[in-house]
Amino acid sequence: MRRFVAVAGVAALSLALSACGSSGEKASGDAKGKEDASQVDIVSWWSAGSEKEGLAALQKVFEKQHPDTKFANKAVSGGAGSQAKQKLQADLAAHNPPDTYQAHAGAELSADIAAGYLEDISSLYDQFKLRDAFPKDLIDRLTVDGKIYSIPSNIHRANVVWVSAAALQKAHIDPSKAPANIDAWLADMKKLQDAGVKYPLAVGADWTQLELLETVLIADMGADIYNQLMDGKGDWNGADVKKAFEHYSKLMEFANPALLNEDWEPAMKGIINNDGTQAYTVMGDWTPPAFDQAGKTLGKDYFAWPTPGTEGVFDFLADSFTLPKGAKHPGGTKAWLDTISSKEGQIAFNTVKGSIPARADLSDEEKGKFSQYQQTAMKDFQENAIVSSIAHGAALPMSVTEDMKKALGKYNSKSLDVAGLQKAFADAASKK
Ligand code: GAL
């Protein structure tokens, strides 16, 4: 496997590691008290396949740490929360919240915070001793007007291309080497088509299209300008954005139109099975457990490298959990937040899920429990330039992201051309 080479000195964030901070402290006293801790209703979208296994690993630690609290799994299927988020918005608006729900750290929660749906849980950061355990920059991204409304369980990387060795062999392309940029990648896709791989690029439902597009934006603009664009200081109508949209449009010519409504795992089945029918997909690093389940080996059956042109950049997202106002079992929620933030919980969950712990205070021995890929990801997270994922809620408010997904749907059903798509994104971003 070609490693994610860490580029020294390009770190946009100084993710200082802290040796202090304890783990696994019980929430018992406070969490129980007068607050109902008899159970916790947990809404996530980890309902199937490899994702379900990650949640099950966390449940095991939870039941050990909090044996008196019933774990009530209310997962809603649909990768990236495609179904869960709709149901949640309706339940929150109707003042019928679950005890906790999955969300992405960053801009995604801004509307829920503004609507007053969430409790400020800053005090739990002190109670669970998390202020030194998480990287300071992650805490900064979670903080809104001095308050924190969720606790992260993990960190995923979105700008990863997963590569089928069997498909690339058909066109005599070395699967371990990333093309230098998007143009070189497009040239390889043409070679693959000429060698009989009809649709080299696997792309599924709208959020997977958005994830592909965001990584092309990063490739064509670089981390700093991409970050400015996300912060509202860039120009969505600009020439560099145009170049990325045109690249995206060319890439989509290599994707099978029949898969554009599929979830991530079925959409990339040909890569997971290494059956030679699909060559590449851009997907977050929740994929390795799916390869494991299919009995496939990194560096032999499949390879992974950053989206061409994004070497040295870590397109970041973090899953986090909340305490909604009016939750029926706030004591149960606190117990859950204790487990997901504890060292034991983060190690058990992330070793199965494919992500890296959000905690930055793991010992070398604890890091040794993770795969080689994950150890590289941990290093990259410290050393790379960090950017926020659009498709996974870190960069932009949910309503903006939803409008962008709708525009991609229109583009792929041919009711928008590429210039219209770029304009639709500019219009969506202007509502931020
Ligand atoms: C992301 C989430 C990941 C993974 C993925 C696919 O939004 O952060 O943990 O679940 O969706 O469903």
Side-chain angles (χ1 to χ4, degrees), residues 45-46 51 78-81 85 102 104 154 156 207 263-264 283 286 317-319 349 353 391-392:
W45 51 87
W46 297 326
E51 313 218 273
K85 287 177 186 171
Q102 178 184 356
H104 292 112
N154 61 318
H156 272 301
W207 66 267
D263 211 338
W264 67 270
M283 190 46 55
W286 40 88
L317 61 123
D319 294 301
F349 175 58
K353 182 73 166 54
H392 302 283

Side-chain angles (χ1 to χ4, degrees), residues 97-416:
D99 295 319
T100 186
Y101 63 89
Q102 178 184 356
H104 292 112
E108 184 173 287
L109 276 176
S110 56
D112 292 1
I113 295 168
Y117 292 154
L118 293 175
E119 295 285 1
D120 167 14
I121 51 175
S122 311
S123 64
L124 295 181
Y125 276 72
D126 301 313
Q127 188 183 334
F128 301 156
K129 302 194 172 57
L130 300 178
R131 292 195 189 271
D132 293 326
F134 291 136
K136 183 180 173 306
D137 295 287
L138 180 57
I139 294 192
D140 287 349
R141 278 164 196 256
L142 287 158
T143 307
V144 179
D145 295 334
K147 297 175 181 162
I148 315 181
Y149 297 87
S150 69
I151 296 188
S153 52
N154 61 318
I155 288 168
H156 272 301
R157 181 177 196 167
N159 60 322
V160 189
V161 180
W162 305 93
V163 185
S164 158
L168 267 69
Q169 270 146 23
K170 288 189 177 175
H172 308 290
I173 300 171
D174 180 352
S176 71
K177 295 221 168 62
N181 52 35
I182 302 288
D183 285 322
W185 195 26
L186 284 163
D188 282 353
M189 293 207 202
K190 179 77 181 57
K191 278 191 212 156
L192 281 152
Q193 252 183 0
D194 293 346
V197 183
K198 191 169 175 198
Y199 295 116
L201 185 63
V203 187
D206 53 9
W207 66 267
T208 74
Q209 298 158 27
L210 184 54
E211 185 170 337
L212 169 67
L213 175 56
E214 81 189 31
T215 69
V216 177
L217 279 165
I218 301 163
D220 284 341
M221 309 179 82
D224 290 346
I225 300 178
Y226 173 91
N227 279 336
Q228 283 169 19
L229 195 63
M230 296 308 121
D231 291 346
K233 293 180 201 132
D235 178 10
W236 278 94
N237 294 304
D240 42 3
V241 177
K242 182 167 184 245
K243 180 177 168 197
F245 275 78
E246 283 169 354
H247 270 148
Y248 171 76
S249 153
K250 287 191 186 144
L251 285 164
M252 287 304 289
E253 288 170 18
F254 293 100
N256 185 349
L259 296 178
L260 298 180
N261 287 317
E262 296 289 344
D263 211 338
W264 67 270
E265 208 170 328
M268 62 176 289
K269 259 287 167 273
I271 298 169
I272 294 173
N273 292 336
N274 195 26
D275 62 12
T277 60
Q278 297 175 319
Y280 311 109
T281 196
V282 170
M283 190 46 55
D285 49 13
W286 40 88
T287 63
F291 284 105
D292 288 348
Q293 285 180 359
K296 304 297 179 195
T297 307
L298 182 65
K300 180 172 151 273
D301 304 302
Y302 73 101
F303 290 78
W305 16 264
T307 303
T310 70
E311 183 90 45
V313 183
F314 193 111
D315 183 17
F316 141 95
L317 61 123
D319 294 301
S320 66
F321 284 84
T322 55
L323 169 55
K325 283 189 184 154
K328 291 183 193 67
H329 312 101
T333 308
K334 289 179 188 174
W336 171 248
L337 296 173
D338 172 47
T339 293
I340 66 153
S341 60
S342 69
K343 257 197 186 182
E344 193 183 356
Q346 296 221 339
I347 292 170
F349 175 58
N350 288 295
T351 45
V352 177
K353 182 73 166 54
S355 35
I356 58 174
R359 294 185 73 112
D361 60 349
L362 268 61
S363 66
D364 285 346
E365 197 193 329
E366 286 162 339
K367 285 186 191 160
K369 296 181 178 163
F370 289 83
S371 70
Q372 194 209 338
Y373 168 82
Q374 288 169 307
Q375 292 187 33
T376 312
M378 285 180 206
K379 190 167 180 295
D380 284 353
F381 186 64
Q382 289 168 47
E383 295 175 359
N384 282 192
I386 307 294
V387 301
S388 296
S389 169
I390 306 173
H392 302 283
L396 298 170
M398 202 190 302
S399 59
V400 174
T401 310
E402 289 303 312
D403 283 354
M404 291 177 172
K405 288 199 288 191
K406 278 187 208 134
L408 286 166
K410 287 188 187 157
Y411 174 75
N412 286 312
S413 65
K414 313 270 182 252
S415 60
L416 277 182

